[in-house]
Amino acid sequence: MGGPTGDRMIRVDMTNQTASIEPYPEDWKLLGGRSLSARILLSECDPTCEPLGPDHILVIAPGLLAGTSAPTSGRISVGGKSPLTGGIKEANAGGDPGQDLMKLGYRCIVVKGQPADTNKRYALDITADGVNVISADEHKGKWNYKLIEDLTKTYSPKASFISIGPAGEMKLSGASVACTDSDQDRRPARHAGRGGLGAVMGSKCIKYMSIDAGKRPARKAEKSKEFSAMSKKYTKEYQEGPAQEPFPKWGTSALVTEANNIYTVPYKNRVEGRSPDVDTLDGMRIVESFEERGGGMHNCMTGCIVKCSNIVNDKDGNYKTSALEFETLTLLGSNCGIASWDDVADLDRLCDDIGLDTIETGAAVAIYMDSGEMDFGNAEGAKNLLREIAEGTDLGKAIGNGAVATGRRQKHKRVGTVKGQALPAWDPRPLKAAGVTYCTSAMGADHTTGLVVDPGQSIDDIAQASQEAQILNTAIDSSGFCQFLMPNIEEIAEFYSHVFGEQVTREQIADIAWQCMQEEWEFNRRAGFGPKDDEMPDTMKEDGIGPEKTVWDIPQEIVNKAYERFDPREELFTQKPS
Ligand code: SF4
């Protein structure tokens, strides 16, 4: 590969429905995924633009190692100004589109403009020969599963897809971007969920992108022998190490009980941090169902050695959804008082099909229930609410626009968001350093930007712990590695060094991540963000959970320390993500 030599980038102008291919800039050689998205957005997008207007930019950027033979390294970032938060956002997903784009040598897709007739639908066909913008009017309004079922009949069996469902077409702020997984059926089950970036893709009138890498082999590293040896060693150590136990066997869904023990399973719109239904929501019940119903664990993208994704079947043994993860089981389950994992699987399938973030949607449904309009635990009612989103009713639009919009409609005050984005399951009241991340990350309440699972941590440590986790997670989300592989910065540096045939130090990797965070903060500053946007919502300060009625009580001056870079400790380079 030799770094970016020969690499290209795709530019799409949706005002004229044209696409062009340009050489990839040498200056961006060490950027990928999230760091590349931030660089493009800060340099090419006016931060004050309307997120769903013609001046906005949508970035699709695979991680730097995508397309190579490094294990579990093909994730793809979707970036833009979030219609949910009004700030910069990156969300990433597994599946095969990232692998395929990079095998073709395309480091990113930058989409600008908007068609004059926004009732039209378009698609991007991407192959080794180039990119074409084609009409996709016939697919208008299709749910993700039906869309992909139809596309797989006409496209090559090698093609992967990036798509939006009706939520994205309706430009709802909770809309996700779907990527097809590595299964033969190429299901649209992997979602860049957070921040409403599906609405941004919808505002460009792009219904889907197809990427056909044909028989293109994996990308070659400059020091291919060393790269291959490192990949093999890393794989062996992972497969023989302790990490083999939780995720590959049970997926993240098995975290429910552990999280419940530390009061970080949201219950009934987060009025408690523990759920009495933990046994029927625990992912172990899903694993137990494999024997009778079929399904099982699989890898969502080619080359993943973790295989944490569960395939969930219905009682008749037919595929229902994949993957049913911890965040979904808690936000759409316990947080809505819904006790059965099978019901949550139905809700997950509806979210994937309509193209919705399960975290934002679960938070919105719980707020609706908490406002007294629907009983907690009403699983059928919740499913109907999701169908209403696809139908575009007024209520459906409010739920589809997320927690803040639902709270506003219901005139309900208990709304747990930071920067307008719903809190994930990992609760900032017991997990203070995670709370610092939610307050200071440019993305708002997003655990993937720097989760720290360490209840009872000293207040003196939380800002640095948050900052280190944010740097580590930024580095991972720029590399293409999945966070569930749990690589550290030192390992990322070693992989990069073999890719480029020159030493890339661990300090460089940390500096690139920090630079990315600074660019994201700068984007938000120019967009009008200020200190008020860094505050935890009142419900976290007033509604205590657990036996000690724990609340968020961290002074803002402690939170703000995460903005000033700490002297790096050894742990920064060697720690694994939480
Ligand atoms: S570790 Fe899990 S989520 Fe990550 S790429 Fe593999 S199967 Fe997908």
Side-chain angles (χ1 to χ4, degrees):
M1 173 162 59
T5 310
D7 278 352
R8 301 168 292 168
M9 60 185 285
I10 297 170
R11 287 197 179 272
V12 180
D13 174 1
M14 285 309 295
T15 303
N16 303 308
Q17 297 94 55
T18 55
S20 59
I21 293 172
E22 293 180 1
Y24 184 74
E26 172 73 17
D27 283 357
W28 294 352
K29 171 174 142 175
L30 288 173
L31 303 182
R34 178 171 160 187
S35 58
L36 179 55
S37 173
R39 178 65 52 86
I40 293 169
L41 286 165
L42 187 62
S43 53
E44 299 190 18
C45 177
D46 175 1
T48 63
C49 74
E50 160 55 43
L52 304 176
D55 298 332
H56 188 214
I57 293 173
L58 176 72
V59 179
I60 309 277
L64 195 144
L65 294 169
T68 70
S69 59
T72 319
S73 67
R75 287 180 77 90
I76 193 165
S77 290
V78 181
K81 178 173 173 172
S82 163
L84 192 68
T85 69
I88 197 166
K89 189 76 193 79
E90 180 266 1
N92 70 65
D96 273 359
Q99 303 280 40
D100 292 342
L101 275 169
M102 287 292 269
K103 281 182 192 166
L104 290 167
Y106 297 128
R107 295 284 293 266
C108 59
I109 306 170
V110 181
V111 184
K112 296 185 178 177
Q114 192 171 63
D117 182 354
T118 52
N119 288 316
K120 295 277 184 195
R121 295 293 177 269
Y122 297 93
L124 305 185
D125 278 351
I126 301 167
T127 66
D129 296 330
V131 186
N132 286 310
V133 183
I134 61 166
S135 171
D137 283 340
E138 66 190 287
H139 299 297
K140 189 174 174 178
K142 282 184 186 171
W143 292 27
N144 275 315
Y145 274 83
K146 170 68 177 151
L147 172 71
I148 299 304
E149 186 190 321
D150 290 347
L151 295 178
T152 50
K153 287 178 191 150
T154 52
Y155 281 85
S156 137
K158 294 275 179 200
S160 57
F161 302 95
I162 299 170
S163 66
I164 55 169
E169 289 186 70
M170 283 189 273
K171 305 192 252 308
L172 301 178
S173 298
S176 62
V177 174
C179 292
T180 49
D181 66 20
S182 61
D183 270 6
Q184 210 181 355
D185 293 340
R186 290 173 284 176
R187 293 168 176 137
R190 315 310 308 187
H191 287 247
R194 308 239 58 201
L197 296 169
V200 178
M201 188 161 151
S203 75
K204 306 291 179 201
C205 300
I206 297 175
K207 179 67 178 165
Y208 72 91
M209 303 178 189
S210 74
I211 305 114
D212 184 358
K215 291 186 177 162
R216 282 288 174 108
R219 285 162 71 86
K220 276 222 163 3
E222 190 70 12
K223 288 196 170 172
S224 60
K225 260 197 199 156
E226 289 86 342
F227 186 85
S228 172
M230 167 107 190
S231 296
K232 280 187 191 138
K233 177 171 164 274
Y234 193 90
T235 301
K236 188 166 183 289
E237 282 173 5
Y238 181 88
Q239 289 174 337
E240 290 172 357
Q244 183 60 20
E245 195 58 13
F247 290 156
K249 277 193 180 162
W250 308 298
T252 62
S253 60
L255 292 171
V256 172
T257 299
E258 199 183 311
N260 205 50
N261 291 340
I262 56 170
Y263 294 92
T264 184
V265 165
Y267 184 59
K268 294 190 175 175
N269 197 25
R270 312 195 83 106
V271 293
E272 248 317 329
R274 267 189 176 178
S275 164
D277 308 315
V278 69
D279 193 49
T280 50
L281 287 172
D282 193 293
M284 293 305 291
R285 304 294 87 75
I286 301 170
V287 173
E288 286 159 15
S289 80
F290 294 157
E291 199 173 329
E292 202 181 305
R293 298 183 178 193
M297 306 304 292
H298 80 138
N299 54 346
C300 81
M301 70 186 175
T302 302
C304 171
I305 58 169
V306 182
K307 303 181 184 171
C308 81
S309 173
N310 51 20
I311 292 179
V312 181
N313 286 355
D314 66 17
K315 288 193 171 81
D316 299 322
N318 299 314
Y319 172 88
K320 189 190 283 195
T321 196
S322 161
L324 188 49
E325 299 197 53
F326 166 71
E327 285 290 338
T328 305
L329 282 160
T330 48
L331 266 298
L332 278 164
S334 57
N335 198 41
C336 298
I338 294 170
S340 145
W341 65 262
D342 222 0
D343 280 326
V344 184
D346 289 337
L347 292 164
D348 183 61
R349 169 61 184 258
L350 281 164
C351 280
D352 285 357
D353 225 349
I354 297 165
L356 290 162
D357 175 18
T358 57
I359 297 176
E360 195 66 39
T361 308
V365 171
I367 289 164
Y368 183 70
M369 289 173 165
D370 200 18
S371 74
E373 292 275 350
M374 183 182 280
D375 288 340
F376 279 111
N378 183 349
E380 292 313 312
K383 291 172 203 173
N384 285 334
L385 278 181
L386 300 200
R387 292 185 191 105
E388 279 205 45
I389 298 175
E391 287 160 13
T393 67
D394 283 349
L395 173 59
K397 281 183 190 159
I399 303 279
N401 275 323
V404 170
T406 303
R408 199 176 294 131
R409 181 186 190 276
Q410 299 303 118
K411 299 188 175 49
H412 190 66
K413 285 209 168 121
R414 198 181 351 257
V415 176
T417 62
V418 182
K419 294 184 177 67
Q421 179 160 245
L423 289 159
W426 301 105
D427 199 297
R429 288 166 287 189
L431 304 178
K432 308 292 188 194
V436 174
T437 296
Y438 302 157
C439 293
T440 56
S441 162
M443 318 276 184
D446 182 342
H447 62 293
T448 68
T449 62
L451 179 63
V452 183
V453 182
D454 189 358
Q457 199 169 20
S458 158
I459 193 170
D460 298 332
D461 294 334
I462 58 175
Q464 186 162 10
S466 164
Q467 184 185 96
E468 286 176 348
Q470 291 191 60
I471 290 172
L472 171 59
N473 285 20
T474 305
I476 293 174
D477 289 344
S478 302
S479 70
F481 279 128
C482 184
Q483 291 190 10
F484 300 139
L485 183 74
M486 299 202 277
N488 63 32
I489 286 179
E490 214 162 64
E491 290 157 347
I492 294 171
E494 205 176 333
F495 274 107
Y496 280 23
S497 297
H498 297 321
V499 163
F500 293 105
E502 60 193 56
Q503 198 189 12
V504 180
T505 65
R506 59 187 202 165
E507 288 77 13
Q508 262 178 294
I509 299 295
D511 287 349
I512 292 167
W514 181 250
Q515 176 70 24
C516 170
M517 289 160 60
Q518 287 183 308
E519 287 172 9
E520 292 169 345
W521 287 326
E522 178 59 18
F523 185 99
N524 277 12
R525 194 191 61 75
R526 292 185 198 173
F529 278 64
K532 283 294 289 170
D533 298 298
D534 293 349
E535 286 186 14
M536 203 56 86
D538 288 345
T539 173
M540 292 294 109
K541 297 174 189 167
E542 294 164 3
D543 299 325
I545 56 171
E548 287 160 25
K549 295 287 168 209
T550 305
V551 294
W552 173 259
D553 54 1
I554 303 300
Q556 214 57 31
E557 59 266 26
I558 299 285
V559 170
N560 290 342
K561 284 186 180 177
Y563 285 122
E564 298 300 323
R565 194 153 180 203
F566 288 91
D567 285 336
R569 303 183 291 194
E570 180 63 17
E571 298 96 288
L572 171 65
F573 306 109
T574 54
Q575 70 177 329
K576 307 270 183 191
S578 269

